[in-house]
Each structure stands twice: as structure tokens, then as C-alpha cells.
Amino acid sequence: MPASPLLRPWTAADAPALHAAFAADPLLEHQLGCRLDDVGQAAAYLEANLAGSLQRRSFAVDVDGAAVGNIGLTAIDPRHQSAWVSYWLAPSVRGRSLAARGVAAAADWALGEGGLFRLELGHRTNNPASCRVAWKAGFQPEGIERAKLRYGQARFDVETHARLASDPVPDIYPLPLQSPGPSTS
Ligand SMILES: CC(C)(COP(=O)(O)OP(=O)(O)OC[C@H]1O[C@@H](n2cnc3c(N)ncnc32)[C@H](O)[C@@H]1OP(=O)(O)O)[C@@H](O)C(=O)NCCC(=O)NCCS
């Protein structure tokens, strides 16, 4: 029987799956700002960007034992108790509400055990699926930032959303989450 999807910390063994996800959707490189052309590049990216630290927590979306997406908390600011949320899924697992359930789980963790108060995210205004993910995970829209992102030669307006610890908990079933535990670096 297939295992239920969950969120867990990334491990070095996930490098081939990370490479496969990016090979399946070349547009994902715009989100990362770099290319992952082989497993070696994926391994280096994983070690540099997806390992936990005081400023960053990244959760692999695990489906049947394979890492097929990421829910990231970056720019963690203990002073203001805030962080930036990002997310992507491999094309093979899209259309199953996994991103919204994953973002909701990571937000619950960050606003609880993680000790944060305000979580922010932004999506290109021409990315309605991402906007829907934000809404479903309890992130309310806050406004448009004009021409904020540059993907290749094109610039994109971005709608920002935020979820506060004091906001209502969204009516969604969060993915189970394996706590990453305390960070030491
Ligand atoms: C954005 C992304 C994470 C969403 O993945 P997902 O969880 O599989 O999302 P779903 O396909 O389940 O769609 C989420 C919601 O958006 C809706 N949606 C999808 N495409 C849509 C479209 N073109 N217009 C309007 N709504 C749309 C779906 O109907 C769904 O709503 P529902 O749950 O109320 O039915 C995924 O498409 C992805 O990884 N894209 C590339 C990376 C990216 O854009 N990341 C976000 C950057 S801000």
C-alpha cells in the first residue's frame, strides 16, 4: 500500500530526485535562480540550500518515499519573528492539493514550535495556482509589488500574501510533518 504524503527534512540521498524534478520542469530553474543539470549539481544545491540552519528550514514533500517537492522557510528573522515561504512540486504530483497542504503544515510548525509570528510569500500575478495555494494555506493577500521578479528578460508583478500567528487556522488537512528539531548552525 502506498505511504501517505508527508513533509520531512531533506537528506543527501534526495539529490537524484531533486535533479529529476528539475529535469521534468525546466521552468523551475527560474524559481531557484540556478540550473541543476546533473545529480552532482543537485547534491551541491541541496547541501548549500536545503539543509536546515538558523535562517532557513526546508521540508521535502515526500510521496511514497521520494522527494517530489519543497516547502521552504527562508529569511527567518528571530527579532521580528518572520520568515519567507516558498514552494514547488514536481509535475508528476501536481493537481492533488499537496502544495497547499504542505504550506499549511510548514506554517503550523513555524507559527508554533518554530516560534514565528508572521509568514510572507509572493507569487507572480500570472500564477493563479500559486495564489490558490496561498489562500488555501491561510495566507491573506496584502498587495502587488510591481515588476519585482525577473525571469530571463521578462519582469513580473508579484502579489504578496501573509499569515500571522493570530490569523484563523485554515480549513485544510495539513500534511503530516516530521519536525526538523533544533538547528545548531
Ligand atoms: C504552484 C504549485 C506548487 C501548485 O501545485 P499543486 O499543489 O499541485 O496545485 P494544484 O494543481 O492542486 O492547484 C491548486 C489550486 O489552484 C487551482 N488552479 C490550478 N491551476 C489554475 C489556473 N490556471 N487558474 C486558476 N486556478 C488554478 C486548482 O484548481 C487548485 O484549486 P482547488 O484546490 O481549489 O481545486 C505547482 O504548480 C508548482 O510547483 N508550480 C511551479 C513552481 C511554482 O510556481 N511555485 C510557486 C511559486 S510562488
Side-chain angles (χ1 to χ4, degrees):
M1 197 172 75
S4 297
L6 54 85
L7 294 190
R8 60 163 172 80
W10 287 86
T11 73
D14 293 319
L18 179 62
H19 172 248
F22 277 71
D25 182 359
L27 294 179
L28 284 177
E29 75 183 49
H30 290 301
Q31 194 170 349
L32 262 66
C34 66
R35 297 170 62 100
L36 302 182
D37 286 334
D38 54 45
V39 174
Q41 286 183 6
Y45 177 86
L46 198 159
E47 185 179 350
N49 296 282
L50 298 179
S53 75
L54 289 176
Q55 285 78 37
R56 182 182 60 235
R57 297 293 188 152
S58 298
F59 298 95
V61 180
D62 183 307
V63 173
D64 296 332
V68 289
N70 182 59
I71 312 293
L73 299 165
T74 54
I76 295 175
D77 181 342
R79 178 180 170 213
H80 297 294
Q81 297 177 287
S82 61
W84 182 259
V85 177
S86 61
Y87 40 89
W88 58 262
L89 293 176
S92 59
V93 297
R94 292 178 192 165
R96 297 164 51 182
S97 298
L98 291 177
R101 292 181 60 204
V103 172
D108 288 349
W109 178 84
L111 299 173
E113 190 180 328
L116 300 180
F117 184 81
R118 175 181 164 87
L119 303 176
E120 305 168 357
L121 66 81
H123 62 82
R124 284 170 288 125
T125 51
N126 66 346
N127 191 349
S130 183
C131 184
R132 185 78 184 123
V133 167
W135 272 104
K136 288 177 69 178
F139 286 69
Q140 298 177 26
E142 294 195 327
I144 305 291
E145 294 180 275
R146 295 174 303 148
K148 180 176 186 178
L149 296 180
R150 180 167 69 99
Y151 286 5
Q153 296 308 311
R155 301 204 67 93
F156 294 92
D157 291 353
V158 168
E159 183 173 53
T160 56
H161 293 239
R163 177 171 158 187
L164 308 182
S166 53
D167 282 342
V169 174
D171 183 18
I172 188 171
Y173 180 56
L175 291 181
L177 180 147
Q178 288 180 6
S179 172
S183 178
T184 54
S185 59

